[in-house]
Amino acid sequence: MNIAMKIHVLVFGLFMLHGLIRSHAALVRYNFVVQETSYTRLCSSKNILTVNGQYPGPTISARKGDTVIVDVFNQASQNITIHWHGVKLPRYPWSDGPEFITQCPIQPGARFSQKIILSNEEGTLWWHAHSDWSRATVHGLLVVSPKIGTTFPFPKPHAEIPVILGDWWKNDIQTVMEDFMRRGGDPAPSDALTINGQPGDLYNCSRLGTTKINVDKGKTYMLRMANAAMNNIMFFAIANHELIVVGTDGAYTKPLKTNYLAISPGQTIDVLLTANQPRNRYYMAAKFYNSNPRSIFDNTTTTAIIKYNGKYTTSTPSPALPSLPAFNDRKASTRFTSSLRSLATTDHPIDVPMTISRKLLYTLSINTLPCASNTTCYGPRGNRFSASINNITFDDPKTSLLGAYYRRINGVYGDEFPDNPPFAFDYTAINLNSSLQTPKNATEVKILKYNDTVELVFQGTNVVSGIEHPMHMHGYSFYVVGSGFGNFDRKRDPLNYNLVDPPLRQTIAVPQNGWTAIRFRANNPGVWFMHCHFERHVSWGMETVFIVKNGKGAHERMLPPPKDMPKC
Ligand SMILES: *[C@@H]1O[C@H](CO)[C@@H](O)[C@H](O)[C@H]1NC(C)=O
Ligand SMILES: *[C@@H]1O[C@H](CO)[C@@H](O)[C@H](O)[C@H]1NC(C)=O
Ligand SMILES: *[C@@H]1O[C@H](CO)[C@@H](O)[C@H](O)[C@H]1NC(C)=O
Ligand SMILES: *[C@@H]1O[C@H](CO)[C@@H](O)[C@H](O)[C@H]1NC(C)=O
Ligand SMILES: *[C@@H]1O[C@H](CO)[C@@H](O)[C@H](O)[C@H]1NC(C)=O
Ligand SMILES: *[C@@H]1O[C@H](CO)[C@@H](O)[C@H](O)[C@H]1NC(C)=O
Ligand SMILES: *[C@@H]1O[C@H](CO)[C@@H](O)[C@H](O)[C@H]1NC(C)=O
Ligand SMILES: *[C@@H]1O[C@H](CO)[C@@H](O)[C@H](O)[C@H]1NC(C)=O
Ligand SMILES: [Cu+2]
């Protein structure tokens, strides 16, 4: 290269850099090859579904406002879809991923180039499969860093550390799901919990693989956490160390100091950890929170090791374990979740809808259905389990609901999802009449007008048995303005709403036999799934869809579909 060319390249480089700083947005590209890969855990091997052979899968890194193209190639032998959890995809539901809601599955041998349009998200999000139970192993982080020229609303951490919580079955996950569906009862509990794919020292044959995180004394680290487990909320803590929560679900929070945290499937939490203890090794640990006294669950504990750099002699043979709340400590779970507040500063403002045009009350229930003739079911009294929102157990269509809406194809869904429970009763009473247990089976959606300001109250019920439900909404974040135990009181409870700095989330655990009120502005046109993030409850039908109509302006309308949408 001669000198003139070098200068040209340099000038061009500076120009590009300048352009980046000015526009603050870049196009980032990833290849995702879905494949079957052999993994050994707990002394036994099996084939799992992975992206690029990795479990957990690759981390996607981008900056606020970027667009990421992920070229998904399905080399596995089963259908798959991929969802970008917490990304709003303004006006572009086509890439969202839930099977038969926004797309037909990517079939074996097929490709789908997914465009992930980031907007105001900043922090930790994640991605996962959204078909069958494949997300058990097909998941990874999606990290959205501050734009170039801006920084975190706290001192820059020395390093960022992924902490992905998950669970592991010795059995093939597809078989676990099929057995569960056929038997009609609860799914087989997992055999281990994991941190970054590893069960840790407290399980047989797991010591060598235990996740180890090296830290320098005096430095501060950011843990980018996601709960990718299938069916349970988790408690998490680090021995002798305080945690400072600074963000949840891709939005900043006021710093919250705590000794433990509760994180539901679907949620992400950003945590600052300062290595300010004597040089040593310390366990971080996580276990399931389980409030249902009748259910069997995996009550094991997963660990990873925080290892201080430098020379020191360890006085004890194994690192100190943190103390976690008791597995059934409902107050500890709710206390943490309700302590979170939006940062709400000039640089990170909030925009809570103050006048409401649509008020919705949705009951969340576990239900039962009669067992198919000639089969044995393992749900209550020989029935099979089901679940519902406003007494509707959602029957998945056989084709893309979004495609049917866009092309005005009739007969795929109805638009009569009720605003309120069709039958009012004392939702959280003990010993509810078993006549309340049978739901209606339908594919009903809720239509919202562009810019509707929505208040949605989720009411957990004690039908069959009350339990938390981590409700997740696609296409939106929402403000959690209130929550409580018992029945929602339309007159009294709104007086206690937090409209000043409510946390902005896209997954919120509705308390057991309690309620949670959320608010959002329906300014993202499209077809958006809303569901419980416990996989067994989704399989039982605890899900529904919002269709948000186009507005009048050119920038208030859905964008057209890409050419390579998978076909059914
Ligand atoms: C580890 O193996 C031993 C001996 O087989 C068994 O007794 C113990 O329950 C196992 N522990 C776990 C956590 O699986
Ligand atoms: C975990 O479950 C096992 C088997 O169900 C039980 O024996 C054990 O006591 C439980 N441990 C805890 C800590 O609950
Ligand atoms: C029920 O099972 C029996 C024995 O397997 C079979 O003969 C019968 O046809 C089955 N009935 C139905 C309705 O499937
Ligand atoms: C349960 O509900 C059914 C139908 O509404 C009613 O006939 C029955 O008396 C109720 N049972 C109890 C114990 O309340
Ligand atoms: C739910 O729907 C079914 C079927 O329409 C109906 O029989 C039942 O009474 C409804 N239950 C409630 C609690 O609304
Ligand atoms: C709901 O109804 C559809 C259509 O009749 C049926 O195929 C499906 O199996 C039903 N689902 C449940 C959970 O009963
Ligand atoms: C939607 O609401 C925003 C914010 O209040 C406003 O700027 C915009 O004009 C509204 N658009 C429509 C179509 O109502
Ligand atoms: C895979 O998807 C296609 C298209 O929707 C469907 O026809 C087929 O039954 C699916 N295969 C399985 C095993 O579910
Ligand atoms: Cu649920």
Side-chain angles (χ1 to χ4, degrees):
M1 197 193 292
N2 63 32
I3 287 178
M5 263 178 79
K6 270 187 190 155
I7 288 169
H8 179 81
V9 167
L10 184 67
V11 169
F12 184 68
L14 284 173
F15 176 77
M16 290 286 287
L17 192 63
H18 183 66
L20 270 181
I21 290 168
R22 263 170 34 124
S23 78
H24 290 305
L27 193 68
V28 190
R29 219 162 175 129
Y30 283 84
N31 277 312
F32 270 27
V33 179
V34 181
Q35 57 196 99
E36 274 119 20
T37 317
S38 175
Y39 267 77
T40 303
R41 294 285 183 274
L42 311 175
C43 314
S44 69
S45 295
K46 64 168 183 172
N47 271 349
I48 62 171
L49 217 53
T50 66
V51 164
N52 301 349
Q54 291 169 246
Y55 165 71
T59 296
I60 293 181
S61 301
R63 291 184 183 275
K64 185 178 179 181
D66 284 353
T67 291
V68 184
I69 306 280
V70 181
D71 293 304
V72 182
F73 176 25
N74 185 2
Q75 272 193 351
S77 56
Q78 67 184 79
N79 290 341
I80 193 112
T81 68
I82 310 280
H83 167 57
W84 322 97
H85 185 115
V87 182
K88 294 173 198 77
L89 303 169
R91 306 158 60 213
Y92 197 73
W94 304 105
S95 279
D96 193 39
E99 184 181 34
F100 299 128
I101 306 300
T102 61
Q103 69 170 89
C104 298
I106 310 171
Q107 296 184 40
R111 296 170 191 269
F112 182 31
S113 182
Q114 292 182 250
K115 184 158 75 175
I116 303 145
I117 306 168
L118 297 169
S119 51
N120 60 357
E121 305 87 357
E122 184 171 324
T124 306
L125 299 173
W126 63 303
W127 56 267
H128 60 80
H130 217 303
S131 48
D132 298 329
W133 280 28
S134 309
R135 78 169 179 82
T137 56
V138 179
H139 60 249
L141 291 186
L142 197 167
V143 172
V144 187
S145 301
K147 283 182 180 180
I148 292 172
T150 71
T151 184
F152 303 106
F154 42 82
K156 190 173 187 301
H158 179 65
E160 299 175 14
I161 300 166
V163 177
I164 304 173
L165 307 177
D167 40 13
W168 181 269
W169 279 260
K170 288 184 185 166
N171 207 344
D172 169 54
I173 194 70
Q174 188 73 16
T175 309
V176 170
M177 184 198 75
E178 283 163 9
D179 286 352
F180 151 76
M181 296 295 277
R182 192 182 58 250
R183 292 166 58 88
D186 276 313
S190 51
D191 298 297
L193 311 183
T194 55
I195 295 176
N196 295 342
Q198 291 289 350
D201 290 356
L202 306 187
Y203 301 83
N204 291 327
C205 326
S206 288
R207 199 168 276 273
L208 289 177
T210 300
T211 299
K212 292 188 183 64
I213 296 160
N214 294 312
V215 298
D216 287 335
K217 189 174 161 83
K219 290 190 171 149
T220 296
Y221 299 81
M222 177 155 77
L223 310 185
R224 292 190 175 277
M225 297 190 60
N227 183 355
M230 299 296 274
N231 284 314
N232 289 82
I233 296 172
M234 282 169 126
F235 287 129
F236 172 89
I238 302 179
N240 299 24
H241 289 75
E242 185 180 58
L243 308 172
I244 304 180
V245 176
V246 290
T248 54
D249 295 5
Y252 293 114
T253 61
K254 292 194 169 70
L256 173 69
K257 289 183 182 175
T258 181
N259 293 322
Y260 74 94
L261 53 85
I263 181 168
S264 79
Q267 292 182 332
T268 52
I269 302 188
D270 292 335
V271 178
L272 297 182
L273 167 71
T274 300
N276 57 7
Q277 292 302 302
R279 283 192 179 84
N280 208 328
R281 296 179 307 146
Y282 300 88
Y283 274 131
M284 61 168 68
K287 69 175 188 187
F288 282 154
Y289 158 56
N290 179 67
S291 60
N292 184 345
R294 281 181 299 276
S295 79
I296 47 155
F297 72 106
D298 179 351
N299 65 9
T300 59
T301 303
T302 178
T303 55
I305 296 173
I306 299 276
K307 186 175 181 298
Y308 279 64
N309 292 323
K311 283 210 162 59
Y312 49 87
T313 48
T314 50
S315 49
T316 47
S318 54
L321 269 170
S323 74
L324 290 162
F327 74 91
N328 58 355
D329 192 339
R330 170 171 99 145
K331 286 213 181 86
S333 167
T334 309
R335 191 189 311 123
F336 172 79
T337 302
S338 58
S339 301
L340 294 162
R341 300 285 179 271
S342 270
L343 184 56
T345 57
T346 322
D347 285 343
H348 300 281
I350 60 165
D351 181 21
V352 188
M354 289 297 168
T355 53
I356 297 300
S357 64
R358 292 299 297 273
K359 283 198 172 138
L360 308 173
L361 177 65
Y362 282 14
T363 50
L364 310 173
S365 298
I366 304 298
N367 303 91
T368 56
L369 286 170
C371 199
S373 64
N374 248 8
T375 52
T376 308
C377 286
Y378 295 83
R381 297 184 323 278
N383 293 310
R384 69 193 161 107
F385 277 119
S386 175
S388 66
I389 304 179
N390 273 355
N391 197 43
I392 293 182
T393 184
F394 193 84
D395 186 28
D396 276 339
K398 304 284 176 288
T399 184
S400 162
L401 203 154
L402 169 62
Y405 165 65
Y406 191 73
R407 297 191 180 82
R408 298 166 198 271
I409 298 165
N410 287 328
V412 176
Y413 63 90
D415 60 6
E416 296 191 333
F417 193 90
D419 283 5
N420 290 291
F423 175 65
F425 57 98
D426 180 359
Y427 304 114
T428 53
I430 48 169
N431 297 326
L432 284 169
N433 192 322
S434 61
S435 69
L436 297 166
Q437 289 183 3
T438 309
K440 182 177 168 184
N441 170 17
T443 312
E444 295 292 339
V445 311
K446 167 72 57 209
I447 309 272
L448 296 174
K449 289 202 298 288
Y450 185 86
N451 252 3
D452 263 348
T453 44
V454 182
E455 178 177 303
L456 167 54
V457 178
F458 294 112
Q459 174 69 62
T461 80
N462 201 26
V463 174
V464 182
S465 70
I467 182 178
E468 288 73 17
H469 299 288
M471 297 305 293
H472 170 51
M473 191 166 172
H474 291 221
Y476 287 86
S477 288
F478 47 73
Y479 292 100
V480 180
V481 296
S483 75
F485 290 119
N487 297 338
F488 175 67
D489 182 331
R490 171 77 61 212
K491 282 206 183 68
R492 206 188 52 214
D493 287 324
L495 302 175
N496 297 320
Y497 280 171
N498 173 8
L499 301 174
V500 178
D501 57 359
L504 184 64
R505 311 217 59 164
Q506 18 78 3
T507 307
I508 188 66
V510 178
Q512 179 185 30
N513 288 322
W515 58 273
T516 296
I518 66 169
R519 287 185 175 192
F520 63 94
R521 177 185 294 276
N523 57 5
N524 188 13
V527 169
W528 304 110
F529 203 29
M530 190 183 76
H531 61 96
C532 179
H533 221 284
F534 286 161
E535 219 51 44
R536 67 188 192 283
H537 293 181
V538 187
S539 299
W540 291 340
M542 190 177 280
E543 52 194 73
T544 186
V545 166
F546 283 104
I547 293 185
V548 178
K549 307 288 281 186
N550 286 334
K552 293 201 172 59
H555 295 288
E556 298 173 345
R557 305 181 77 81
M558 252 174 67
L559 296 165
K563 297 240 171 354
D564 62 343
M565 276 315 285
K567 300 220 166 26
C568 276

